[in-house]
Amino acid sequence: MSTEAAPSRAPLAASSVPRPPTATYRLQLRNGLDFGAAAALVPYVARLGASHLYLSPVLQAAPGSSHGYDVVDPTRADAALGGETGLGALADAARTHGLGLVLDIVPNHMAAGGPENPWFWDVLENGPSSRFAGAFDVDWEPPESYLRHRILLPILGDHYGRVLEAGELRLERDAGAFRVRYHDHLVPIAPRSLDVLLDRAAVLAGSDELAFLADAAERLPSSLARDRASVARRHRDKEVLRRRLGDLAAAEPDVRRALDVAVAEVNADPDALDALLERQNYRLARWRAAERDLGYRRFFDVASLIGIRVEDEAVFQATHETVLRWTSEGRLDGLRVDHPDGLRDPAGYLRRLRAALAAATGTPERSAGSEPDDGRGGRAEPWLVVEKILQPDEELRPDWPVAGTTGYEFLRLCDGLFVDPAGRAPLVEAWRSFTGATADLATAAREARLEVLHGALGSELNRLTGLFLEVCERHRRHRDHTRHDLHEALREVAASYPVYRTYVVAERGEVAPADRAAVEAACATATAARPDLDADLFDFLRAILLLEVRGEAEAELAMRVQQLTGAVMAKGVEDTAFYRWTPLSSLDEVGGDPSAFGVSPTAFHAWAAETQARHPATMLTLSTHDTKRSLGVRARLGLLSERPAAWTAAARRWAERNERHRRDGLPDRAIEWLLYQALVGAWPLPLERALAYAEKAAREAATHTSWAASDPAYEAALRGFLEGLDADADFQADLASFVEPLVGPGRVVVLAETLIQLAAPGVPDVYMGSELWDASLVDPDNRRPVDLALRERLLAELAALPPERAAAVSLERAEEGLPRLWLTHRTLALRRRRPASFGAGAAGAYRRLAAEGAAADHVLAFVRGVGAAAVVAVVPRLVLGLDGDWRGTRLPLPAGRWRDELTGATFGGTVPIAELLGRFPVALLAADPDPGTR
């Protein structure tokens, strides 16, 4: 597999950029923010206190991409962002201000696209004989004969025959190449299939040379020929044929006219166009066909994102060559790996990536579990984190050579500190009474997973069923099981995993204890759920998944099931059940457990100490481009757990009042409950944003409408309901009256969680714009353009003031979000001044501080670092329960004098919490090495 070499740049000189990062600032590029605009933000990010810019994907994405995860060419920087030159200028600007770059990469998939993806275009043109056929995870020999050696392309809005006969498919010529257009979609025509058309044009033009080219097209090696010589010959000859045909058409008007007439004749005859399309290496189909017959692995249920085979060394090298070059040049300091659970062997991939990064930077390759090199002895190894979603009882695999995850487990724990466990029973009961729901979360989640396996992920399940059938044919005890039995057994097991996936490696025969436990739990659940199926079949499947039954097909089944279950969990639980089971929707977050209300300080401290010992450079996040609600929304909603009766009364009152805005009983009560929480959490929420959220929430829940089968009447009723609420002055006044007492406490929670994130073990990430108050909902709401110039101006104003004055000013101008900006700036600045206090090892040690008194449970405090470099963080929790009265609660500080970095106040000994938090809602204390000078 070859790629075109990109222009090389000289390596950047060594700099003082901290490695691993002390803090990152996530930039969501595109939508008006390109490399040039990002470079202009570098001084602000440096002044804010982050050590690294953390960039969304920057490799060449599909035209018009709004996020960059739809890469079409991994060999170059995105031209729309400024290309290689723009990225280099951004890296130079960052280094000038002491910042590094961390990049989000997408190893699991590419956008199928059209000619803008040269690899996939080549596969469509040449089928299995393409030079890039091995790059994509395509099943070239599925059970369906009509798809054998062809790729299903589900891009049509209606059935193929209807689209064809309506004239919506048109053959086009571009010099010596031909393609078919369907609206904005383009697909290539295989050169070998042009023989008939070129013969016809030769007759029309009376051209012997054109007739010769028709014969040459017919003699091209078959697309089924995969040997190296045939592939090389086909590629060489088809390119020569294309050039000669283009030159001939350009030079001879009669040939050009004949070709155009032949094209027009094909377009005028559906049978002729159909005959041509039947000879292609793809099959055009209605978009719904992706639910059942798709022959390639995709990203979740997105047919336009095709899985790539990075387990193949050539594919790995080709897809990572550019990123590794940027790393070797010193332009990148770290990588964030998107969706590793989609890969065949995540641990193997990460080991290969770690080795490649070590080679690119000339640093020793680190083994899994060892601490990252800080670079003091030379160039440090790149920082590497993975977007791995851990379930509450799951741990990051010890054999993954990474610094940690992207931080969703931290988000769950940190949020949980501010949710009152006592609110669980009344909120769940109120939700059940309001909506009529009866299922518990486990049941609702499993039902949703079964649904997505029947619908959105049906193609993936059907592929595995064919493979399972092949396996059973080889075992006489199981060969009589029907395809239906195998399909249902796989579906039940895939819907029953307690984790996203397992990580058995068939090639090495590896089955970790955690994997064995997960497989056995899934098979036991499935067996109990389906007594109509043969229990022996589930035992057989369990043995296959645990590598106890050997064989090539058996191993392939075991490996591919793992790639499916992660998608099932994401689509079934995150994207479906979390929009259905919503007693307190702030808990319906990626990696969360909405049925678990509250996290104790003891549990959080235990996690933090363990993280400091095992993953001190893991990422910590509170808001991302993928969170369903920003921290600001979740913080306000979390307060409802402390006032469940007030919330329940309000929801019931609103439902009764707003009955007049419903149409024929629509929308349903479940979405109504969810919408009220969205309106409370994101208040004031403009109608346009509320409508977009409501449509997405309803389609994700998929109970009355969905992405695959939208219900116009239901969605019209939903829009009408929200429009009615927006225009209803009485409701708006009642809503405002309910929310206003929550605004201040919600902001206190935001500040508390922010300080925990910025001071706890790990590397905090500030999501673009979230240094002010942010009340964003699920994407694309959380990817809206951010006024970064405003933030830059506000920070300059605060930074010009002494700390005691800046803290007071920030509170006076709290509506502008200044308290969070001040807190973020001061804490990040302290991290950069004292990196060891927040880093790995004994110097960054973590220990809890225990408050004393009646409200001690409302305080969370901890120490980072030791001696004169120590830092103390103190925050309030469950703030409504305090009602402003600390009841004499005190905090014994470690020996010495302590200066609050936020207010300039100094403290020592045992301090009343009311005094400690009297000037600012949270406290960040640094050991004062020379108190006599104060």
Side-chain angles (χ1 to χ4, degrees), residues 3 168 176 203 393 445 456 463 608 638 654 712:
T3 58
E168 295 180 69
V203 171
D393 296 327
R463 289 180 70 195
W654 296 338

Side-chain angles (χ1 to χ4, degrees), residues 427-440 580-583 652 662 668-673 704:
L427 282 176
V428 171
E429 176 56 34
W431 170 72
R432 292 191 189 282
S433 175
F434 191 97
T435 65
T438 58
D440 59 17
R580 295 178 179 179
W581 210 90
T582 59
R652 289 173 177 166
R662 292 155 61 87
D668 57 292
R669 293 296 188 191
I671 196 71
E672 186 176 1
W673 174 277
H704 296 272

Side-chain angles (χ1 to χ4, degrees), residues 630-670:
S630 68
L631 170 60
V633 175
R634 300 194 313 273
R636 189 182 295 171
L637 290 177
L639 296 171
L640 302 183
S641 67
E642 298 188 68
R643 295 289 187 269
W647 160 250
T648 300
R652 289 173 177 166
R653 182 173 67 251
W654 296 338
E656 182 177 354
R657 171 179 290 156
N658 295 329
E659 185 66 31
R660 62 184 181 274
H661 300 307
R662 292 155 61 87
R663 302 180 188 175
D664 301 322
L666 297 176
D668 57 292
R669 293 296 188 191

Side-chain angles (χ1 to χ4, degrees), residues 478-542:
H478 301 285
R479 71 180 190 182
D480 290 342
H481 289 300
T482 65
R483 174 181 285 271
H484 174 76
D485 288 345
L486 303 183
H487 178 278
E488 291 300 289
L490 280 169
R491 180 171 174 245
E492 293 290 340
V493 170
S496 302
Y497 272 65
V499 291
Y500 277 69
R501 63 165 285 174
T502 54
Y503 301 94
V504 305
V505 182
E507 292 80 1
R508 296 191 292 273
E510 298 175 1
V511 181
D515 294 331
R516 180 173 296 279
V519 169
E520 290 179 344
C523 291
T525 299
T527 303
R530 292 297 299 271
D532 57 312
L533 294 176
D534 188 349
D536 191 40
L537 178 58
F538 287 112
D539 287 340
F540 183 53
L541 181 55
R542 178 197 60 78

Side-chain angles (χ1 to χ4, degrees), residues 284-307:
L284 300 179
R286 184 183 179 219
W287 65 275
R288 292 297 296 266
E291 294 183 357
R292 294 289 181 271
D293 295 333
L294 203 63
Y296 56 82
R297 181 174 62 82
R298 50 190 170 160
F299 173 70
F300 296 160
D301 60 341
V302 185
S304 61
L305 298 178
I306 183 170

Side-chain angles (χ1 to χ4, degrees), residues 21 25 33 99 130 144 208 308 364 470 475 501 576 806 842:
Y25 189 91
L33 184 61
L99 297 182
S130 167
E144 299 84 358
D208 289 341
I308 51 179
E470 179 184 342
H475 297 267
R501 63 165 285 174
T576 305

Side-chain angles (χ1 to χ4, degrees), residues 10-87:
L12 291 176
S15 72
S16 59
V17 174
R19 301 184 190 171
T22 61
T24 61
Y25 189 91
R26 168 78 178 202
L27 286 182
Q28 200 66 26
L29 299 174
R30 298 174 172 79
N31 303 314
L33 184 61
D34 60 10
F35 293 142
L41 292 173
V42 164
Y44 163 68
V45 175
R47 181 180 299 167
L48 185 65
S51 66
H52 286 70
L53 286 174
Y54 162 32
L55 306 178
S56 59
V58 304
L59 293 171
Q60 184 62 53
S65 173
S66 62
H67 47 74
Y69 289 93
D70 44 0
V71 173
V72 294
D73 186 348
T75 67
R76 58 193 177 101
D78 197 317
L81 295 177
E84 182 92 13
T85 301
L87 179 61

